[in-house]
Structure formats: C-alpha cells, structure tokens
C-alpha cells in the first residue's frame, strides 16, 4: 500500500517485479493489470491475494481469464466488498471471519490503543487515564480496544448500530447510550467499525478539542474530505491535523488513516498463524479448480494449524 510501504522491505525486493501504486485509488487497477498479464504470459494458475477488496469491482473481468484461479481475501472490509458482487463469478477464499483471524483482532486493538496513547502524551501532553474515550464499533477489534483502554485507566464508552453488540458492551461494563449523547460526552473518539462512523454532519455534536483516531484501513471511519471542506483552517503538524470547524477545534490523527500504521501495526507470533492460513487458502486454490462463490478453509485444517502454532509458541 502507498501509505504503509516500508522502504527497507521494498529495497530487499529490488530483484523482483514489485510495483507500488502511486495512490490508494490506483491499487485495484494495478493489481488487476498484473493478474491479467500473469494469466496471459504464464503457465501456472494465478491467484489474487487481497487485503481490502480492491479488485472487487473488476471481478467479472478477472473471471474471463481462464488462468486466474480465484481470490484470497484477508480483511472484513474486503470480504464485504466482494459480497456486494454476489453471485461471484470466481471462487473467493476468505479468512476475514476465521476464528484464527479473530486472534489477530486482539493484537490490532492493543496496537491502536498504544498509538492513541502515544500521540496523546507526545502531542497533547495528556494521559489516556484522564480521558473519556468513545469506541465506535464493537466487533473483534473494538472489543479488544475497549478492554485495553479500560486497563489503561480511561473512561470508555461504546457505540455500535448493532443492538446485540451494544448489549454485549453493557454486559462488559462500558458506557452506552444514544449515539448523539456519546459523541457529546467523548474527548477522544476512535473509529474501528470498518464503515463510515462519523461525518461532517456530526460536527455540531462534538466537543471543542475532540481528538479523532481511526483503527480501520484506509480513511473509511471519518469523512476526512468533508471535514477539510467545512474547515475554516487546517494546520498539519507531524501526525496531527488541527481543524477549526463548526466553531470548535477538532484534532485528526494521521489524516484519518489507521493510527497503528504509524508504528509496527501488529507484532508477535500471531502473524504466523494468520499468514499461514492465507497461504493454505492460496494452496487450496492452486491445487484444483473450485466453484465460484465464497469459501473458507476447512475447520479441520484450522484445527491442525492452531495445534501446530500452539506447539511452536504456546510453551515459550
């Protein structure tokens, strides 16, 4: 990705035909072009390994190339984009809702909390333990994030449009209520819903000096374009953009992109678990043709992978 590429890692691949798109809007077109070229010129089956559904709009064209065997998707946002194209003309293996992938959510939640706390300390001279923090989205990442924020001493509120998830937040002891009331209450708002969680229309509800941080991929959580359009002034200093908008000051961290991407987003051995599942899905697609539609790694294979991972790391 243009915003997450590491120059050191890229330099190690200088003997391979690696392309970094100029912008995130170019990712899908570049990937589709590379897949189609490989299908025309190569003899091996071509598999598109996705991290966000960038090729979803072109899945019909990909299906017309007999050499393209299918797609493997890593993220929920990407899976949702492909599901909107149902019925799919190609097989799509997803790990987004895998029980193994869910273990990664815990690490993502921790890393988002760490990045928010670091910026509060360095840029605002504030402690997380003194802040009222609203978590928008109470899925796997939101659940882990809220728990880590609470352990850090923050007052934590939760909002999710799903009533079952909101009921879970009540059971877990978080502040809940009407969305408008929670937005007025919060001093820090962290979006991890995977959807547009806050728009420019919500600005009159926000406190003066509110801090906005995203833990979702791209700039999906906040209407960044709308915030800049309505702002009287916008001053960016390092990772913080100060916006004067709707008679108040709003601080946007990392321009609405994932705050945890400013550090090593996910650390630890859980990555071996997730990437191995991605590899196994790719192997399944490469081994034989599959029917078009949504597929997941067989539960027995997930069990075997989890056992091997636990044997490797569980006793350390």
């Amino acid at each position: 990705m243009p915003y997450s590429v590491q120059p050191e890692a890229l330099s190690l691949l200088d003997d391979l035909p690696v392309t970094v798109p100029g912008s995130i809007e170019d990712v899908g077109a570049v990937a589709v072009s590379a897949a189609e070229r490989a299908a025309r010129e190569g003899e091996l089956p071509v598999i598109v390994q996705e991290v966000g559904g960038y090729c979803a709009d072109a899945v019909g064209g990909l299906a017309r190339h007999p050499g393209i065997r299918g797609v493997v998707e890593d993220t929920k946002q990407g899976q949702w984009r492909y599901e909107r194209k149902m019925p799919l003309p190609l097989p799509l293996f997803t790990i987004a809702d895998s029980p193994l992938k869910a273990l990664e959510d815990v690490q993502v939640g921790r890393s988002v909390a760490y990045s928010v706390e670091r910026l509060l300390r360095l840029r605002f001279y504030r402690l997380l333990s003194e802040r009222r923090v609203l978590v928008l989205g109470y899925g796997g990442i939101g659940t882990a994030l809220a728990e880590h924020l609470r352990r850090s001493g923050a007052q934590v509120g939760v909002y999710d449009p799903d009533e079952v998830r909101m009921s879970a937040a009540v059971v877990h002891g978080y502040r809940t209520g009407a969305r408008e009331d929670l937005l007025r209450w919060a001093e820090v708002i962290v979006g991890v819903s995977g959807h547009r969680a806050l728009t420019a229309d919500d600005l009159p509800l926000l406190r003066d000096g509110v801090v906005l941080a995203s833990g979702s991929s791209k700039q999906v959580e906040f209407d960044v374009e709308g915030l800049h359009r309505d702002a009287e002034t916008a001053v960016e200093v390092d990772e913080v953009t100060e916006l004067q908008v709707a008679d108040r000051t709003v601080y946007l961290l990392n321009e609405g992109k994932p705050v945890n991407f400013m550090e090593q987003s996910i650390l630890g051995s859980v990555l071996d678990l997730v990437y191995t599942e991605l590899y196994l899905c790719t192997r399944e697609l490469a081994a034989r043709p599959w029917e078009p539609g949504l597929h997941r790694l067989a539960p027995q294979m997930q069990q075997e992978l989890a056992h091997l991972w636990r044997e490797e790391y569980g006793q350390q």
Side-chain angles (χ1 to χ4, degrees), residues 109-110 112-114 116-117 120 128-129 131-136 142-158 174 188-190:
R110 289 172 177 166
V112 172
Y114 168 82
V116 170
E117 181 167 27
L120 283 178
L128 193 58
S129 59
R131 299 297 96 185
R132 295 187 289 194
V133 185
L134 174 61
V135 176
L136 297 177
T143 301
L145 170 62
E147 177 60 25
H148 199 74
L149 291 169
R150 178 160 60 184
R151 290 180 182 178
S152 299
Q155 299 178 57
V156 182
V158 170
Y174 297 110
V188 179
I189 299 174
V190 187

Side-chain angles (χ1 to χ4, degrees), residues 41 50 65 132 186:
E41 300 174 357
E50 270 267 41
H65 291 267
R132 295 187 289 194

